Amino acid sequence: QVQLVQSGAEVKKPGASVKVSCKVSGYTLTELSMHWVRQAPGKGLEWMGGFDPEDGETIYAQKFQGRVTMTEDTSTDTAYMELSSLRSEDTAVYYCARDGVAPGIYFDSWGQGTLVTVSS
Amino acid sequence: EIVLTQSPGTLSLSPGERATLSCRASQSVSSNYLAWYQQKGGQAPRLLIYGASSRATGIPDRFSGSGSGTDFTLTISRLEPEDFAVYYCQQYHHYDTSPLTFGGGTKVEIK
């Protein structure tokens, strides 16, 4: 049973960067394909990027390209998502999510979410 | 990118009733890579259906998914009190600028 535990809430000023972590247990990170999804207050889900098994590389939603970086530390089984040049519209709960084993990309396990607040 | 439009925005029903949720794609979803999630307030989403019609592990059989191409449906045969939540569809299309998108959600509320 995989468990994803994320880092705590963050408050950042506009223009700053934030780095959110997602610690994996029950599996090693090398066995998983990890993605990041965010949800602004009262809004729907928005995919940011993750590992695409068809390409064998990390892909990003066009909206975030150039501003987001997703990395992994396999020695600690921790995935990271860093978002730069923050603006107020980036205020959201950020989730890490695991791609399941079926063909396609679906998220069968989720972290608890990390609230990132961007405010001056 | 493929845009997913969910309807209705809100569905007001009573426990025991049947719920039918729609998800329409702006272009055909490849290999029926379409999933449905349930989200309750303050919680992470939960995967219900993948591959348009396969139930995820532990999901009760009152939840069913159907459809292909551009039109997909999530049906809850008899609503239980714990089923009142927001539901999202999601697609994956590898050869797209943004290969993965979510619908805007349907809220199922108690009438």
Side-chain angles (χ1 to χ4, degrees):
Chain A
Q1 182 87 353
V2 65
Q3 277 199 306
L4 308 176
V5 178
Q6 298 184 222
S7 48
E10 303 260 14
V11 179
K12 295 291 183 182
K13 293 196 181 302
S17 296
V18 69
K19 193 169 187 177
V20 179
S21 68
C22 174
K23 169 75 173 171
V24 175
S25 61
Y27 282 77
T28 63
L29 193 51
T30 55
E31 299 176 280
L32 308 180
S33 295
M34 199 67 71
H35 290 251
W36 293 85
V37 175
R38 78 177 187 179
Q39 187 170 36
K43 302 295 184 182
L45 302 170
E46 184 174 34
W47 176 75
M48 300 180 70
F51 186 80
D52 188 333
E54 291 205 33
D55 285 335
E57 61 183 19
T58 299
I59 54 174
Y60 301 116
Q62 193 168 35
K63 174 178 179 177
F64 299 103
Q65 282 181 8
R67 212 162 61 94
V68 70
T69 305
M70 296 172 187
T71 56
E72 297 180 349
D73 182 346
T74 55
S75 68
T76 60
D77 290 319
T78 303
Y80 297 92
M81 185 284 300
E82 184 170 20
L83 187 62
S84 62
S85 303
L86 291 169
R87 33 210 188 230
S88 59
E89 310 89 86
D90 294 317
T91 294
V93 174
Y94 290 76
Y95 294 100
C96 58
R98 177 189 89 152
D99 179 15
V101 297
I105 296 180
Y106 315 108
F107 307 127
D108 63 357
S109 295
W110 295 68
Q112 83 276 19
T114 297
L115 175 62
V116 175
T117 303
V118 182
S119 173
S120 55
Chain B
E1 91 182 20
I2 294 178
V3 176
L4 298 178
T5 302
Q6 291 188 241
S7 61
T10 302
L11 200 50
S12 298
L13 295 168
S14 301
E17 289 194 292
R18 181 185 188 89
T20 303
L21 286 66
S22 172
C23 176
R24 179 161 290 177
S26 59
Q27 56 187 281
S28 185
V29 175
S30 60
S31 303
N32 286 340
Y33 288 158
L34 192 287
W36 291 92
Y37 299 86
Q38 176 194 68
Q39 187 179 35
K40 299 179 183 178
Q43 297 182 17
R46 176 173 72 145
L47 178 67
L48 301 174
I49 301 288
Y50 64 92
S53 60
S54 297
R55 265 188 303 276
T57 303
I59 301 303
D61 60 7
R62 64 180 181 273
F63 291 93
S64 63
S66 63
S68 64
T70 60
D71 288 297
F72 298 88
T73 301
L74 174 70
T75 301
I76 310 171
S77 59
R78 286 178 56 86
L79 282 164
E80 297 288 340
E82 62 268 27
D83 298 337
F84 292 92
V86 180
Y87 293 83
Y88 295 95
C89 57
Q90 170 246 309
Q91 67 79 34
Y92 164 68
H93 182 73
H94 175 68
Y95 299 104
D96 208 345
T97 52
S98 277
L100 194 149
T101 53
F102 288 93
T106 290
K107 180 180 181 180
V108 179
E109 64 176 23
I110 299 177
K111 188 174 181 179

